[in-house]
Amino acid sequence: MQTLTLSNILHQHFPDALHFSLLKSSKTHQETQQLHAFSLKTGVFSHPSLSSRLLSLYADPNINNLRYARSVFDRIKHPSLVLWNIILKCYIQNQQSHEAISLFFLLLGHFPPDEFTFPCVIKACAKLTALKEGKQIHGLVLKLGFGLDKFVQASLVNLYSKCGEIGSDYTVFDQMDEKDLVSWNSLLDGYARKIFENMPNRNLVSWNTMINGYMKAGDTNSACKLFDQMPTRNLITWNSMMRGFKLNLRFLEALEMFERMLEEEFRPTHATLVSVISAVSGLASLGTGRLIHSYIVKNGIELDGVVGTVLIEMYSKCGGIDSAVTVFRTISHKKLGHWTAIIVGLSIHGMADHALKLFLEMRRIGVKPNAITFVGVLNACSHVGLINDGHKYFNMMINEYGIKPTIEHYGCLVDILCRAGCLEEAKDIIEEMPMRPNKVIWMTLLSGARNHRNTKIGEYAAQHLIELAPETTGGYVVLSNLYAVAGEWEKVSEVREMMKKRGLRKEPGCSSIEHKGVVHNFIVGDKSHPQTKEIYSKLAEMREKLKLAGHVPDTSQVLLYIEEEEEKEAELENHSERLAVAFGLINTEAGCPIRIMKNLRVCSDCHSVTKLLSKIYSREIIVRDNSRFHHFKDGLCSCKDFW
């Protein structure tokens, strides 16, 4: 009688090569799911070798699927300490340190931790600066005799340094037989402030080093306090502050720092200008950007280097693509960065022909594109539906330039297919790509499914997105919108209830418009603006003019359960971009372009309305939504209704 082993069971159902592959070396998500499904179907899941193998595969960094890993773990009747350690590490890999610590304390009811358990859970404490829990675990380390393990010691040094416990981290560090570079760096970080405070004479280098360190750590408040305490400052000080604010997305503070620097009569360097122009890009403040450009021209600063690149990027991101092209043309010695910046800029404005012509010109004169250049080229193809060209340039990147595609390149290819409605092909690309899809790629597929009303693929994408990044509010919102368009209101309610239980809230649509150096923000149905009365009066005027022009509201875009058509139309009229357009019509001179930035995708009805308004009022209206720019002029849009 044949012994019932896992290998024998698999051999009965799969060919030799396949069953050996499944048992010994499954590495892709698809193979692992195949093995998982087989084990549940045939009842062999309970075999220790198979369940352990499945857990290891799901927790492996190449797959790293926490949901499936936990599902497998929960089905194992008596998991070993090794399996506890695997699931604990998987939680930390997925940035769920709170849950990892809770799981650790649950583990204590089953096993004493070992030298593999402790570094994992101490790392989780360090990530959360959970000093109290860390000290409790340190006590357990000593009690169980792991105090001299080098990996446990290294994790403790890191914990105490992160938590500012200088004496404790040195005590552990001093006991280490093998002091590696990581432990030295952890110790120095905890000390890069203690040493500074004890210095009898602090020079500019020490002050600047501390400020730079705080900014890199994201502690802008401490950096500001030190800056205000400094007896003297130099250009490095100012540049460190501006660069730090930019890195921490505190763009307004970066501009304010630039103004203070000029008031104190410091002359900006190229590094200064790169930081401040990047901050302007973050704020999308075109007026401020033009002022800084004027300063550059007035002071004869060359644009041949990085300053020229960030200036092109700034104009592109602020809606001034014509100015970006002008800057590009004035640069006498164009480098790769300049070519890449203008190609990327033109692509997000939907000007694919211009972007691809420049790409061909760039190749003709012998400038070798890099990976970022191809991101711009592929985006250009995406925004106008050039599927064949997208495949051509993707293959060119690999075969002619030897550039290995990154997840961004695969994301562009998926985006091209999704926008064109080729959802099955996009799904195949995602399943076959050599790296694990990120949340951007799943969101792209989900959005494509929403746009093309494919509920099946939308649910597939949403499931993977929520597994990977359950905190991504946009995934729930787009899935809810997909159900709403299909009239499946019960499922809409289910999704919204899920969001409520998880403490997630939909990001409100917000549109902003700059006027005389001030950015005015509007949300849907906003009545908080000082000019509310005039704005709603203008909205009423716009409504009448739109009716005369033959506009019929597309009430399918109302994603709330509202029965009356008039209520649906009123809901559409109060969208944030329409309020911003009304403000622009009131406050800007006739004939001047109106530039609006929106945080969400423009709905189809607002897109149609804005085309008509551009013709009715003889205005160019430039709208940046969360994926691209739309240039509305004379009743048409630069996207050619493809977005």
Side-chain angles (χ1 to χ4, degrees), residues 473-474 476-477 480 494-507:
T473 307
Y476 302 91
V477 173
S480 173
E494 288 173 8
V495 174
R496 292 183 177 176
E497 186 62 27
M498 190 190 307
M499 290 180 69
K500 186 177 179 181
K501 286 180 179 178
R502 297 184 179 186
L504 301 172
R505 297 184 65 184
K506 178 183 176 182
E507 182 182 11

Side-chain angles (χ1 to χ4, degrees), residues 162-383:
K162 289 276 175 68
C163 294
E165 289 283 300
I166 302 302
S168 299
D169 69 356
Y170 184 75
T171 300
V172 177
F173 182 81
D174 195 43
Q175 295 171 350
M176 295 178 71
D177 291 329
E178 298 179 38
K179 299 176 174 66
D180 61 10
L181 183 60
V182 174
S183 299
W184 277 106
N185 285 338
S186 296
L187 188 72
L188 289 170
D189 287 343
Y191 272 81
R193 183 62 191 248
K194 193 70 176 177
I195 293 171
F196 177 76
E197 288 174 348
N198 292 329
M199 288 177 70
N201 297 304
R202 302 170 190 166
N203 58 18
L204 270 172
V205 173
S206 59
W207 283 96
N208 291 338
T209 300
M210 287 301 302
I211 286 173
N212 195 41
Y214 275 129
M215 284 298 193
K216 285 183 177 178
D219 189 353
T220 56
N221 290 333
S222 295
C224 289
K225 287 178 183 176
L226 281 185
F227 179 82
D228 291 336
Q229 293 169 9
M230 291 181 72
T232 59
R233 305 181 184 105
N234 61 7
L235 267 173
I236 294 173
T237 314
W238 293 100
N239 287 344
S240 296
M241 291 297 291
M242 280 179 277
R243 183 172 61 249
F245 280 130
K246 182 202 72 173
L247 289 173
N248 287 284
L249 309 182
R250 303 274 290 270
F251 303 123
L252 191 58
E253 288 93 330
L255 292 182
E256 290 170 351
M257 192 62 62
F258 180 65
E259 290 176 5
R260 285 180 63 182
M261 188 188 87
L262 293 179
E263 287 170 3
E264 295 193 22
E265 299 184 349
F266 280 90
R267 184 179 176 84
T269 62
H270 280 69
T272 315
L273 293 169
V274 167
S275 293
V276 76
I277 294 169
S278 298
V280 170
S281 296
L283 290 171
S285 178
L286 184 61
T288 306
R290 291 197 192 283
L291 288 174
I292 294 170
H293 188 188
S294 297
Y295 176 90
I296 290 170
V297 173
K298 182 179 178 182
N299 288 274
I301 297 170
E302 294 292 330
L303 300 180
D304 289 356
V306 182
V307 173
T309 300
V310 294
L311 201 58
I312 293 169
E313 290 173 348
M314 181 275 291
Y315 276 123
S316 299
K317 291 177 180 178
C318 293
I321 190 63
D322 291 341
S323 297
V325 172
T326 300
V327 170
F328 174 76
R329 293 298 184 196
T330 58
I331 297 173
S332 53
H333 301 290
K334 298 178 181 66
K335 298 182 176 65
L336 175 60
H338 303 125
W339 287 98
T340 297
I342 194 63
I343 288 170
V344 170
L346 288 165
S347 73
I348 63 172
H349 283 265
M351 299 177 178
D353 289 344
H354 196 167
L356 297 178
K357 282 179 183 176
L358 283 178
F359 178 67
L360 294 176
E361 183 183 341
M362 169 185 165
R363 294 181 69 213
R364 183 183 60 78
I365 65 173
V367 178
K368 186 178 179 181
N370 63 13
I372 301 173
T373 316
F374 276 102
V375 169
V377 169
L378 292 171
N379 268 329
C381 296
S382 173
H383 288 306

Side-chain angles (χ1 to χ4, degrees), residues 20-238:
F20 181 81
S21 171
L22 289 172
L23 182 61
K24 297 295 184 184
S25 59
S26 295
K27 290 184 179 178
T28 70
H29 200 287
Q30 190 174 10
E31 287 175 327
T32 306
Q33 286 183 311
Q34 184 182 3
L35 179 57
H36 192 177
F38 162 76
S39 68
L40 294 172
K41 182 179 179 181
T42 59
V44 299
F45 177 88
S46 58
H47 195 290
S49 297
L50 182 54
S51 55
S52 299
R53 179 64 178 151
L54 277 170
L55 180 60
S56 298
L57 288 167
Y58 280 132
D60 187 279
N62 290 321
I63 297 178
N64 194 28
N65 191 315
L66 176 59
R67 181 182 175 186
Y68 281 120
R70 185 60 196 255
S71 174
V72 170
F73 181 80
D74 288 341
R75 285 175 175 268
I76 299 173
K77 289 186 178 179
H78 302 291
S80 65
L81 179 58
V82 171
L83 300 184
W84 279 93
N85 288 340
I86 289 172
I87 192 67
L88 188 67
K89 187 176 181 181
C90 191
Y91 269 99
I92 296 167
Q93 286 173 175
N94 282 272
Q95 311 302 320
Q96 297 198 31
S97 296
H98 279 290
E99 291 79 2
I101 294 171
S102 298
L103 190 68
F104 170 77
F105 286 112
L106 186 63
L107 175 155
L108 296 179
H110 300 270
F111 295 99
D114 64 8
E115 69 273 23
F116 300 104
T117 318
F118 281 121
C120 279
V121 71
I122 294 169
K123 182 178 181 181
C125 292
K127 283 177 174 286
L128 298 172
T129 60
L131 182 60
K132 180 182 176 182
E133 291 81 0
K135 284 186 173 181
Q136 290 175 350
I137 294 167
H138 189 179
L140 190 57
V141 164
L142 297 176
K143 182 179 178 180
L144 295 178
F146 293 104
L148 297 180
D149 181 271
K150 64 179 182 178
F151 297 108
V152 175
Q153 287 176 323
S155 63
L156 285 167
V157 170
N158 181 51
L159 165 71
Y160 287 127
S161 296
K162 289 276 175 68
C163 294
E165 289 283 300
I166 302 302
S168 299
D169 69 356
Y170 184 75
T171 300
V172 177
F173 182 81
D174 195 43
Q175 295 171 350
M176 295 178 71
D177 291 329
E178 298 179 38
K179 299 176 174 66
D180 61 10
L181 183 60
V182 174
S183 299
W184 277 106
N185 285 338
S186 296
L187 188 72
L188 289 170
D189 287 343
Y191 272 81
R193 183 62 191 248
K194 193 70 176 177
I195 293 171
F196 177 76
E197 288 174 348
N198 292 329
M199 288 177 70
N201 297 304
R202 302 170 190 166
N203 58 18
L204 270 172
V205 173
S206 59
W207 283 96
N208 291 338
T209 300
M210 287 301 302
I211 286 173
N212 195 41
Y214 275 129
M215 284 298 193
K216 285 183 177 178
D219 189 353
T220 56
N221 290 333
S222 295
C224 289
K225 287 178 183 176
L226 281 185
F227 179 82
D228 291 336
Q229 293 169 9
M230 291 181 72
T232 59
R233 305 181 184 105
N234 61 7
L235 267 173
I236 294 173
T237 314
W238 293 100

